[in-house]
């Protein structure tokens, strides 16, 4: 789909890059000539992922252990990364989430999600942004949100609050930092099965099947589809896109919104009758 050197020589920092969508994006970056620097709390996983992706793609990859909830750790890790030169882009991908009735949540449960998604993404964005601004160079921030950042969603309320905050950060800083050559965008995925998310969010087959059935395209997303969108937004070809959130969900969220979207419950005979009544 893209020329093989689309992201050549770019250094791209990916939070939560050891597994799931972060890992798929890291792989795509390497296939297109970039060097991803993957971060996560789990050192063993990072080491494994880095070895696997290097062997599969023949590309370069770096990793750092980092808990993005800890602002001092963020500062020190980002500063150590910068010692080898500036990065070109940051992907705020790391997230935490679980399915729960909201009235059962403790304040620690609320913080567990918001500290990763909202605070962590903000700390990372600031740590990179101020370095780009100090050096007078351009930068690119891509945040992975969800479509419920704008609709909200029952049963994942801390995540909805936090993702809405990341969207607000994206739009706000796109305007504030645009004149400094830093652009910020978001990708709003629908259902893309990953072990991390699915273990916590899809407790049984009933929910898993519902995801595919209620989607206008009749299926969940393929990781490669999301990785290609990310590659485009990381590339210089998308340089004029700033402050947007691009949806990739097969039409899922719109299907829940249109007032007559459920009218496929009508039979052919009922449709014929409706057409007849019109004459
Ligand atoms: C209620 C829960 C809970 C659950 C944890 N808690 N899981 N409460 N229901 N299922 C509560 C705990 O009881 C505790 O409160 C508090 O949260 C902190 O729990 P810890 O296990 O100590 O937290 P921690 O180790 O920090 O784990 C963070 C986490 C975990 C968010 C809870 O799930 C995590 O690390 N996730 C990372 C990976 C992940 O979730 N990825 C999916 C992202 S998907 P008490 O009061 O008992 O001390 C995504 C997009 C979704 O975001 C889009 C889908 C379409």
């Amino acid at each position: 789909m893209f020329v093989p050197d689309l992201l050549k020589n770019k250094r791209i920092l990916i939070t939560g890059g050891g597994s799931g969508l972060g890992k798929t994006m890291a792989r795509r970056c390497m296939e297109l000539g970039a060097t991803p620097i993957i971060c996560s709390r789990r050192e063993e996983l990072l080491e494994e992922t880095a070895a696997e992706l290097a062997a599969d793609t023949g590309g370069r990859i770096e990793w750092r252990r980092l808990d993005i909830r800890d602002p001092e750790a963020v500062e020190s890790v980002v500063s150590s990364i910068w010692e080898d030169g500036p990065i070109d882009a940051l992907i705020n991908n790391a997230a935490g989430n679980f399915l729960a009735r909201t009235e059962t949540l403790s304040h620690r449960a609320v913080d567990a999600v918001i500290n990763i998604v909202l605070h962590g993404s903000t700390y990372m964005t600031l740590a990179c942004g101020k370095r780009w601004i100090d050096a007078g160079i351009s930068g690119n921030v891509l945040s992975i949100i969800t479509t419920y950042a704008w609709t909200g969603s029952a049963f994942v309320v801390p995540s909805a609050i936090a993702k809405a905050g990341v969207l607000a950060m994206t739009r706000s800083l796109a305007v504030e930092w645009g004149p400094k050559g830093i652009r910020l965008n978001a990708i709003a995925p629908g259902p893309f099965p990953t072990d991390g998310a699915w273990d916590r969010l899809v407790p049984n087959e009933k929910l898993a099947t519902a995801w595919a059935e209620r989607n206008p395209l009749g299926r969940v997303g393929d990781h490669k589809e999301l990785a290609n969108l990310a590659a485009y937004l990381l590339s210089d070809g998308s340089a004029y896109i700033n402050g947007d959130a691009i949806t990739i969900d097969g039409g899922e969220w719109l299907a829940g919104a249109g007032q007559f979207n459920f009218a496929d419950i009508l039979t052919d005979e009922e449709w014929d009758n409706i057409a007849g009544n019109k004459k």
Side-chain angles (χ1 to χ4, degrees):
M1 177 167 176
F2 298 119
V3 290
D5 62 352
L6 185 78
L7 302 177
K8 197 170 173 203
N9 296 331
K10 288 193 192 290
R11 296 180 81 211
I12 299 172
L13 179 51
I14 307 176
T15 65
S19 59
L21 288 171
K23 180 177 172 183
T24 312
M25 287 188 282
R27 180 187 292 276
R28 195 70 182 113
C29 286
M30 291 167 83
E31 289 167 352
L32 296 169
T35 301
I37 306 159
I38 54 173
C39 299
S40 108
R41 286 176 283 180
R42 290 178 286 166
E43 198 161 334
E44 216 170 278
L45 178 73
L46 288 168
E47 209 166 354
E48 250 172 53
T49 298
E52 179 190 327
L53 296 187
D56 289 356
T57 66
R60 271 179 52 76
I61 180 167
E62 297 172 33
W63 59 267
R64 299 283 198 291
R65 204 200 84 76
L66 173 61
D67 184 343
I68 60 168
R69 296 173 299 185
D70 175 350
E72 281 162 14
V74 166
E75 263 305 304
S76 118
V77 168
V78 171
S79 143
S80 90
I81 291 170
W82 237 266
E83 279 167 18
D84 301 329
I87 61 158
D88 296 279
L90 162 69
I91 306 183
N92 287 315
N93 165 75
N97 199 1
F98 46 74
L99 193 66
R101 287 169 300 168
T102 307
E103 67 275 18
T104 67
L105 296 181
S106 69
H107 63 87
R108 283 175 295 271
V110 171
D111 288 351
V113 173
I114 292 181
N115 285 348
I116 300 172
V117 178
L118 182 57
H119 293 163
S121 302
T122 310
Y123 299 154
M124 290 300 295
T125 304
L126 285 181
C128 295
K130 64 187 183 193
R131 286 175 172 80
W132 284 321
I133 292 167
D134 282 350
I137 56 176
S138 60
N140 188 354
V141 180
L142 182 60
S143 296
I144 308 300
I145 55 167
T146 76
T147 49
Y148 60 66
W150 46 85
T151 61
S153 177
F155 305 115
V156 284
V157 169
S159 171
I161 293 168
K163 295 284 192 182
V166 174
L167 177 59
M169 175 184 74
T170 299
R171 290 175 168 158
S172 307
L173 288 178
V175 174
E176 188 176 336
W177 287 354
K180 299 177 194 296
I182 300 167
R183 63 191 180 103
L184 295 95
N185 291 292
I187 291 180
F192 282 80
T194 62
D195 292 344
W198 255 229
D199 288 354
R200 295 173 178 90
L201 298 173
V202 188
N204 58 35
E205 264 311 296
K206 202 163 75 177
L207 273 188
T209 314
W211 244 305
E213 278 176 357
R214 71 206 257 307
N215 193 295
L217 298 188
R219 65 174 177 90
V220 294
D222 178 338
H223 283 210
K224 289 189 199 120
E225 293 168 320
L226 188 139
N228 277 333
L229 176 58
Y232 170 63
L233 291 170
L234 292 166
S235 75
D236 299 336
S238 64
Y240 203 50
I241 302 182
N242 185 27
D244 206 1
I246 317 255
T247 302
I248 178 163
D249 74 342
E252 180 196 57
W253 87 268
L254 286 171
Q259 197 157 25
F260 288 94
N261 283 346
F262 67 95
D264 58 1
I265 58 171
L266 296 175
T267 62
D268 286 346
E269 195 185 348
E270 285 167 326
W271 281 115
D272 288 344
N273 286 339
I274 294 166
N277 290 343
K278 216 173 57 182
K279 283 177 205 151

